[in-house]
Amino acid sequence: MTTSTIRASLHSDFPSRLMRPNVDIFLADSRASIPSAGSSEAAGYDLRAVGDYFLQPGDTIVVNTGLVMRPEKDFRIDIRSRSGLAAKHNVFVLNSPGTIDRDYSGPDDVVKVILHMLADTPHSKLPHIKDAPGPAEWGFQISTGDRIAQMLLTPTFTPCFNKVDATYFLNDGKTAENRNGLGSTGIK
């Protein structure tokens, strides 16, 4: 079997809506733009800012995208940081991944992105802004059309919660050393 044959047989088993699900988009602002992929095989689609913003180290801001989006049933939109903003400017999506539920899609439910700049961002990572709006002249300027985050369309599963008593978890064969929680297995 060739790679393309295997790929074709795998894809034929998936419902077509899982391969390319629909997202309904309303441009609530004339400056908004439909999310775009940076390459033909990119998983994330870039979200762009609507409006002008200025971040200084330690700041948290909410950036408007001008978009109202509704993913297809059984999907959600996850908002994540752009790696370049995080690595080069210490700017990231604070609640990453932010979740846009399918039912957050009324005409006034514009998607916004919570961005944060680390407080200890060195000046070497900040452009010098001559006419910065704040008291300091170091920071990160965001303008309309700038790519601020990326969205991923993610399948959503509805769980079935089964109430059990404590003995259910005591009889699972685990030992005391793997019941310690955060960091209990060490680094190496």
Side-chain angles (χ1 to χ4, degrees):
M1 237 181 197
T2 67
T3 304
S4 59
T5 307
I6 293 169
R7 191 177 298 123
S9 67
L10 285 174
H11 289 306
S12 66
D13 292 341
F14 289 110
S16 62
R17 72 181 201 87
L18 292 179
M19 295 304 299
R20 207 158 156 88
N22 293 307
V23 177
D24 298 324
I25 295 181
F26 167 60
L27 303 179
D29 189 298
S30 62
R31 300 169 295 169
S33 57
I34 292 176
S36 59
S39 71
S40 62
E41 294 188 20
Y45 288 77
D46 292 326
L47 295 175
R48 296 178 182 270
V50 169
D52 295 325
Y53 305 86
F54 188 75
L55 265 170
Q56 291 180 301
D59 283 353
T60 299
I61 60 173
V62 178
V63 180
N64 187 354
T65 67
L67 301 173
V68 176
M69 297 188 280
R70 180 183 308 165
E72 194 167 305
K73 186 175 176 358
D74 298 324
F75 285 88
R76 69 179 183 274
I77 294 169
D78 287 342
I79 309 296
R80 300 177 186 215
S81 299
R82 296 191 70 241
S83 60
L85 285 182
K88 295 176 184 175
H89 304 289
N90 285 358
V91 174
F92 59 93
V93 175
L94 185 59
N95 63 326
S96 186
T99 300
I100 309 298
D101 294 312
R102 184 174 192 278
D103 59 358
Y104 180 77
S105 57
D108 297 323
D109 294 331
V110 175
V111 173
K112 297 176 181 77
V113 177
I114 304 168
L115 292 180
H116 180 75
M117 177 181 265
L118 291 176
D120 60 351
T121 299
H123 282 169
S124 62
K125 288 193 172 192
L126 298 172
H128 181 72
I129 308 292
K130 185 176 180 182
D131 299 317
E137 52 188 35
W138 294 97
F140 187 74
Q141 180 72 43
I142 298 171
S143 301
T144 295
D146 287 352
R147 296 178 294 164
I148 54 164
Q150 58 182 328
M151 62 166 270
L152 275 75
L153 198 57
T154 310
T156 300
F157 302 95
T158 304
C160 179
F161 294 101
N162 301 308
K163 185 177 177 184
V164 297
D165 62 30
T167 57
Y168 175 84
F169 295 103
L170 295 174
N171 297 325
D172 63 3
K174 293 192 181 212
T175 59
E177 60 269 9
N178 62 7
R179 290 191 177 278
N180 294 329
L182 301 174
S184 63
T185 59
I187 295 175
K188 297 184 183 206

